[in-house]
Amino acid sequence: MPRDLTKFRNIGIAAHIDAGKTTVSERILYYTGKTHKIGEVHEGTAVMDHLQEEQERGITITAAATTCPWRIDGKEDGEEFIINLIDTPGHVDFTVEVERSLRVLDGAVAVFDGREGVEAQSETVWRQAAKYKVPRLCFINKMDKVGADFEFCVRTIHERLGANPVPIQIPIGAAEMFAGVIDLVEMKAYQWDETSKGRVWGEIPIPPECLAGADQARAYMIEKAAECDDHLMEHYLHDKPIDRDQIKAALRKGTIAGHINPVLCGSALKYKGVQLLLNAVVYYLPNPLDKPPVVGHDPRDKNKQIIRSADGGEPFCGIVFKIVSDQHGDLSYLRIYSGKLQSGARIINSTRDRKEIASRIWEMHAADRIQRDDAEAGDIVGIVGFKYSLTGDTVCDADHPIVLEKMEFPEPVISMSIEPRNANDKNKLGEALTTLRREDPTFRSNFDSETGQTIIHGMGELHLEIIANKLRRDMKVDVLVGKPKVAYKETITRPAEAQGKHIKQTGGRGQYGDCWIRIEPYRPVEGDDSEDTLLFVNEIKGGAIPKEYIPSVEYGVRQAFKSGILGGFPALNMKVALFDGSYHDVDSSQIAFEQAGILAMQAAMKKAGPVLLEPIMKLQVTTPIEFAGPVQGDISSRRAMIENTENRGQIQVIDALVPLASMFGYATILRSLTQGRANYTMEPHSYAQAPNHVKDEVLAALK
């Protein structure tokens, strides 16, 4: 008997760091019966933060997946729904974990701090979810926190995220007076008993002082719901009775279409509001059938579109969205979009045209696994047996190949040298780095032949620190690490032309390649997220260079582009036109024209006003107001541009753009300036031209 996909929800929990995502996840596991003891982040006992590093630091580093059952209101006789849940990190250094999770999820719960509202990383997470058209609920957490303000949070969701938040609950009180929530759809109030860890909860009369506010909020909710549903709009305009099922249907329709974002509230730490959040996940977030069929293309013909529906009877296809290596081999996390996968099945990786075997299928529960015989459309499972698949690859039925849309990952902005403490560990280090690259698409490593060092590249200081700890602790490779370095890039400021001529006579057949190129600054088209920022144009007329040598010139140009001209840094944003050249009937070859392309590009970049580009970070500092002056002064001294300051009670929030090179060791400085009471977040923003004195210092250090 085919299973009912309307009973499945694939959701993620995402937010700014410290908004309480993992605490919400732990409560969900507890109330769904998946765990029988509540894990706490602050005690290092959270189930979803299962890595030793996560438990010690109290932060989430990797996305953890689990599957749990839920019956409405937690009642044993209720209809059962299956929730596949992914808890994602909040720290920007691990943004890849959020990106790849959102790519495969059907819906998400965005968690906000009840006092802070929308914070820097909230914007990044929201943007990532919008990119993959993931419908979102908003859960305003920490309503018990001093300074918690529900209306302020809703306002920031609207103003800073450009979203359409629609409260479907309002809190009863706030901070130490937070007593429960009012459900505006049911027009009922609920409270939770803390001594039972929230297991005992139920309906109470709506407090008289809250009635007017609840009526007003409910009218607004119905108005917004009516905008999403013609049937409800007709009832609304003609003052016909409106029942709760009509409201729920309209809210669900609007949420799935991305027109509205229902807002709920509570305090996960104090056990309030989580059961109603689970109800809302079931009521308003999509099941696999609510989502449009996935669109891919034929591996042999990119223009041939193929569509797959969430149906167990269709040919199998899925996407690998995460890889974890352990002593038993790679565990590949797989979202299945169509068809059925049997344990032991032979399938293909259509992205790489390699055969794979799904030796074992596991249902994941953070670090624990439950073996399954099969999995089908709508499932998120772990697979053991894949040898060639990487993050973002499509796996499918060998007789019905399809390639699904790939994932885009940000470029690393920081690097540092790393070497084994003793020579015996050299091979172990190479193997360990290969494993880490498979696991983490934002991590890169390469060998610098000039210095004899291995260079690792990542998204931030914390990212590289955790990579180094992982090498030492998990992979038993004792390494020495250098100081972090900035990932500079280069570009040009004006057009230039140059010739590249490669001629060698060696007695026998010689080498002859000659080309003329014109280069100019170039901006990729808006919305083009590809990493390729070089546009190569062939303007050869009259066969000055035979067609078979054009790709060789382009290859040479791109090789030179990768290593720049000032300090060996990769270049950005150039248009290169090949417009003339010459060839020799006997001596010309592909290698000769590759060399000519390299020489032409190097000569042209020298003439084109090359400049050094440095990564600029988006910085947000939250500090008590009494320290705001020294904090702002320190930020300004780091070549930062302060864009905005905002007072929220006794707290000031400072937004700035600052060069990454100025921010090493900032956490220690900020702690000393504010007695440890301020915190900050930082994420990549853009590249900008480095001042001349910075350029001179950087280039001098390379000599």
Side-chain angles (χ1 to χ4, degrees):
M1 182 179 137
R3 62 181 181 173
D4 186 357
L5 278 178
T6 64
K7 300 289 188 290
F8 281 74
R9 301 290 182 274
N10 291 316
I11 67 159
I13 297 193
H16 183 89
I17 192 167
D18 281 343
K21 296 175 303 303
T22 301
T23 304
V24 171
S25 299
E26 293 299 320
R27 301 302 182 259
I28 287 174
L29 296 183
Y30 184 60
Y31 297 135
T32 57
K34 194 72 184 183
T35 57
H36 302 291
K37 180 178 180 293
I38 287 189
E40 300 290 5
V41 176
H42 56 275
E43 293 174 4
T45 57
V47 174
M48 299 301 266
D49 284 352
H50 58 89
L51 299 179
Q52 188 176 341
E53 192 90 37
E54 294 177 313
Q55 291 167 355
E56 288 172 1
R57 292 174 183 268
I59 61 169
T60 304
I61 293 168
T62 64
T66 190
T67 301
C68 45
W70 177 246
R71 299 176 190 274
I72 297 297
D73 291 337
K75 292 177 179 172
E76 289 189 11
D77 57 348
E79 204 175 2
E80 185 174 86
F81 291 81
I82 301 297
I83 297 175
N84 288 318
L85 172 73
I86 296 183
D87 173 32
T88 64
H91 200 289
V92 69
D93 283 18
F94 312 110
T95 187
V96 62
E97 294 286 342
V98 185
E99 180 87 18
R100 59 185 171 190
S101 299
L102 288 170
R103 166 68 178 83
V104 300
L105 291 171
D106 299 330
V109 176
V111 180
F112 300 90
D113 185 303
R115 186 178 74 184
E116 311 300 341
V118 172
E119 299 174 86
Q121 187 63 8
S122 316
E123 296 180 39
T124 305
V125 168
W126 197 267
R127 200 166 55 241
Q128 288 170 315
K131 176 176 165 183
Y132 294 117
K133 298 182 173 61
V134 178
R136 280 141 281 169
L137 297 179
C138 302
F139 182 67
I140 296 176
N141 191 27
K142 302 192 179 185
M143 283 306 302
D144 60 311
K145 191 175 179 179
V146 174
D149 185 337
F150 180 77
E151 289 181 5
F152 162 77
C153 292
V154 174
R155 196 163 62 248
T156 62
I157 292 169
H158 174 65
E159 292 170 358
R160 294 186 198 166
L161 302 179
N164 190 6
V166 178
I168 60 172
Q169 293 176 354
I170 58 172
I172 301 171
E176 67 276 3
M177 303 300 291
F178 178 57
V181 303
I182 297 170
D183 184 322
L184 300 174
V185 178
E186 306 278 352
M187 255 335 235
K188 293 176 181 176
Y190 296 92
Q191 70 175 14
W192 285 260
D193 171 43
E194 282 188 43
T195 56
S196 68
K197 295 189 173 176
R199 275 205 175 277
V200 176
W201 64 292
E203 190 184 330
I204 58 167
I206 296 177
E209 67 274 15
C210 297
L211 263 173
D215 286 336
Q216 188 180 351
R218 189 172 198 269
Y220 178 78
M221 175 191 71
I222 292 172
E223 181 188 332
K224 286 294 182 182
E227 290 173 6
C228 304
D229 186 278
D230 294 340
H231 181 65
L232 182 61
M233 179 62 86
E234 190 182 327
H235 280 242
Y236 177 72
L237 291 174
H238 296 94
D239 285 333
K240 293 181 182 177
I242 294 173
D243 64 38
R244 64 183 184 183
D245 290 336
Q246 288 174 300
I247 297 171
K248 282 180 183 174
L251 289 171
R252 178 178 176 79
K253 189 174 178 182
T255 306
I256 292 171
H259 298 320
I260 60 170
N261 303 102
V263 182
L264 300 91
C265 60
S267 167
L269 188 67
K270 296 296 168 83
Y271 318 106
K272 295 180 172 76
V274 178
Q275 290 97 331
L276 293 182
L277 174 63
L278 282 163
N279 286 354
V281 164
V282 167
Y283 289 144
Y284 307 120
L285 288 181
N287 62 58
L289 297 175
D290 289 322
K291 300 285 282 183
V294 293
V295 178
H297 64 80
D298 188 317
R300 297 175 294 272
D301 180 3
K302 286 191 174 182
N303 297 317
K304 185 179 177 185
Q305 203 178 74
I306 302 173
I307 294 172
R308 291 272 190 273
S309 301
D311 181 345
E314 288 224 352
F316 161 74
C317 83
I319 198 160
V320 176
F321 69 94
K322 179 178 165 71
I323 293 169
V324 178
S325 299
D326 62 20
Q327 65 268 37
H328 306 299
D330 283 354
L331 176 73
S332 304
Y333 283 73
L334 180 69
R335 164 69 199 261
I336 301 177
Y337 284 103
S338 66
K340 197 168 185 174
L341 180 66
Q342 298 282 352
S343 182
R346 294 175 181 274
I347 53 178
I348 62 161
N349 177 326
S350 53
T351 309
R352 301 182 189 281
D353 194 22
R354 303 297 293 259
K355 291 177 181 174
E356 296 278 28
I357 298 176
S359 304
R360 287 193 296 283
I361 301 173
W362 300 97
E363 182 179 298
M364 302 305 299
H365 177 46
D368 299 326
R369 311 172 186 181
I370 301 162
Q371 191 159 356
R372 289 174 53 164
D373 294 328
D374 56 43
E376 56 184 288
D379 279 336
I380 291 176
V381 290
I383 306 287
V384 171
F386 289 174
K387 288 183 178 176
Y388 308 106
S389 298
L390 298 176
T391 298
D393 286 359
T394 303
V395 289
C396 58
D397 184 330
D399 296 328
H400 301 87
I402 180 175
V403 177
L404 302 176
E405 179 197 357
K406 66 173 186 173
M407 301 180 195
E408 301 286 351
F409 299 113
E411 285 282 295
V413 294
I414 192 168
S415 64
M416 70 182 182
S417 62
I418 190 164
E419 52 192 332
R421 197 176 286 272
N422 59 66
N424 298 337
D425 279 350
K426 200 168 184 180
N427 288 341
K428 272 174 72 178
L429 176 62
E431 289 168 13
L433 292 175
T434 302
T435 299
L436 290 171
R437 284 199 302 271
R438 281 177 63 78
E439 287 189 19
D440 183 351
T442 59
F443 170 69
R444 314 270 168 86
S445 68
N446 64 280
F447 184 72
D448 187 333
S449 54
E450 286 184 20
T451 62
Q453 291 177 315
T454 299
I455 310 296
I456 60 174
H457 311 264
M459 298 305 296
E461 283 184 274
L462 181 61
H463 188 197
L464 293 186
E465 187 184 328
I466 282 169
I467 291 280
N469 285 353
K470 206 168 184 182
L471 285 167
R472 292 186 188 111
R473 177 186 286 164
D474 300 342
M475 299 174 165
K476 305 292 185 278
V477 183
D478 195 4
V479 290
L480 295 164
V481 296
K483 287 185 177 176
K485 291 181 180 176
V486 174
Y488 291 103
K489 298 201 185 252
E490 300 178 14
T491 194
I492 56 171
T493 54
R494 58 177 183 264
E497 290 183 2
Q499 180 185 26
K501 202 164 190 178
H502 178 70
I503 302 175
K504 261 190 179 177
Q505 211 61 46
T506 53
R509 182 180 166 180
Q511 291 185 32
Y512 186 97
D514 173 28
C515 65
W516 277 89
I517 63 169
R518 179 173 55 251
I519 68 173
E520 59 188 82
Y522 160 74
R523 280 273 167 209
V525 184
E526 191 71 34
D528 179 8
D529 291 329
S530 73
E531 293 171 12
D532 188 5
T533 59
L534 182 144
L535 177 67
F536 183 86
V537 181
N538 175 20
E539 294 180 359
I540 291 291
K541 291 184 175 69
I545 298 176
K547 280 183 183 174
E548 64 264 30
Y549 297 137
I550 306 294
S552 300
V553 175
E554 181 179 355
Y555 180 78
V557 162
R558 290 186 180 278
Q559 289 302 104
F561 182 74
K562 282 180 189 173
S563 53
I565 198 68
L566 291 173
F569 301 112
L572 278 181
N573 301 346
M574 289 187 215
K575 179 180 177 182
V576 180
L578 171 64
F579 67 90
D580 201 2
S582 62
Y583 69 101
H584 189 280
D585 285 332
V586 177
D587 291 349
S588 283
S589 66
Q590 291 181 339
I591 291 172
F593 273 100
E594 271 178 33
Q595 292 301 314
I598 291 171
L599 294 170
M601 189 64 172
Q602 288 172 340
M605 284 193 288
K606 275 181 187 170
K607 294 181 186 175
V611 292
L612 190 71
L613 299 176
E614 61 178 346
I616 303 297
M617 309 299 281
K618 184 177 174 185
L619 174 72
Q620 186 175 81
V621 181
T622 306
T623 175
I625 278 183
E626 63 260 38
F627 304 115
V631 169
Q632 283 193 37
D634 178 70
I635 292 172
S636 299
S637 72
R638 296 170 183 272
R639 297 193 288 124
M641 185 171 74
I642 294 178
E643 291 197 305
N644 185 45
T645 59
E646 182 185 345
N647 290 348
R648 301 180 191 169
Q650 294 303 303
I651 297 291
Q652 185 172 86
V653 179
I654 304 161
D655 291 301
L657 295 178
V658 58
L660 175 61
S662 306
M663 294 302 289
F664 291 133
Y666 182 62
T668 308
I669 301 293
L670 185 64
R671 275 198 296 270
S672 65
L673 283 173
T674 62
Q675 298 170 13
R677 292 169 62 195
N679 57 58
Y680 77 101
T681 59
M682 197 166 66
E683 62 178 284
H685 179 268
S686 58
Y687 271 84
Q689 186 174 335
N692 284 334
H693 72 276
V694 172
K695 181 178 94 169
D696 294 342
E697 284 173 21
V698 171
L699 298 181
L702 295 172
K703 289 174 182 171

